[in-house]
């Protein structure tokens, strides 16, 4: 089911009231999974789900696409097909989680960074990590 920009995308972002507790819970889960005596494939799946939970906790739910960061086109033009773009790729964050001494706070902060873009803008964004990929693509966030 495609999602489209609408008048609500111009609304000011308001974080959920339970955000600190949800992020604390996610941190607990992310810290526990690597030490579990389970196969690496299952660890990756569980860690990936926990990263998604960090994304959803900040308002990037599948039904709303109302996260903090939105492109100017999404905010100003209703009816455009929209998509979510992870500023920092989950694949990279997963590798960090599975490495020695991951910085969970940094990883969770990065997992929360998603930008709602038009489908056209999403196709123009490069595969690099970080916010400069939007500048390189000429997208105002």
């Amino acid at each position: 089911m495609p999602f489209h920009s609408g008048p609500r995308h111009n609304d000011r972002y308001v974080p959920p009231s339970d955000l600190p507790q949800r992020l604390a819970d996610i941190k607990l889960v992310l810290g526990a999974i690597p030490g579990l005596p389970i196969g690496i494939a299952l660890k990756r799946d569980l860690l990936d789900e926990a990263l998604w939970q960090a994304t959803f906790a900040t308002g990037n739910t599948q039904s709303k696409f109302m996260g903090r960061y939105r492109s100017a086109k999404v905010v100003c033009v209703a009816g455009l097909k929209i998509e979510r773009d992870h500023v920092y790729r989950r694949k990279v964050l997963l590798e960090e989680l599975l490495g020695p001494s991951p910085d969970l706070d940094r990883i969770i902060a990065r997992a929360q960074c998603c930008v709602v873009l038009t489908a056209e803008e999403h196709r123009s964004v490069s595969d690099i990590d970080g916010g400069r990929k939007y500048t390189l693509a000429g997208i105002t966030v």
Side-chain angles (χ1 to χ4, degrees):
M1 174 170 85
F3 296 92
H4 295 87
S5 58
R8 289 201 55 228
H9 285 102
N10 195 25
D11 292 352
R12 185 171 178 259
Y13 173 74
V14 177
S17 60
D18 65 344
L19 182 61
Q21 182 59 52
R22 289 175 73 183
L23 294 176
D25 292 346
I26 292 165
K27 182 177 179 179
L28 184 66
V29 169
L30 288 173
I33 292 171
L36 294 175
I38 58 176
I40 191 72
L42 181 55
K43 278 184 189 184
R44 282 182 184 281
D45 288 347
L46 293 173
L47 289 168
D48 191 41
E49 178 59 30
L51 289 174
W52 269 114
Q53 290 301 316
T55 301
F56 292 155
T58 57
N60 278 299
T61 61
Q62 290 291 341
S63 62
K64 295 182 183 176
F65 278 72
M66 294 299 293
R68 180 176 183 178
Y69 305 105
R70 305 167 207 158
S71 77
K73 281 187 181 178
V74 169
V75 170
C76 295
V77 182
L80 298 174
K81 185 177 177 200
I82 57 175
E83 297 181 21
R84 178 187 304 108
D85 183 69
H86 293 269
V87 177
Y88 299 93
R89 293 176 292 170
R90 288 187 342 273
K91 176 182 175 181
V92 173
L93 298 176
L94 282 169
E95 292 305 317
E96 289 181 37
L97 285 167
L98 291 167
S101 304
D103 182 343
L104 296 180
D105 291 320
R106 183 177 146 289
I107 291 169
I108 290 169
R110 287 184 167 197
Q112 293 176 67
C113 295
C114 273
V115 177
V116 179
L117 303 169
T118 68
E120 177 185 332
E121 289 172 326
H122 192 251
R123 286 189 296 274
S124 72
V125 174
S126 70
D127 230 9
I128 62 173
D129 272 357
R132 70 185 177 119
K133 65 183 171 181
Y134 307 108
T135 303
L136 292 172
I139 299 169
T140 302
V141 177

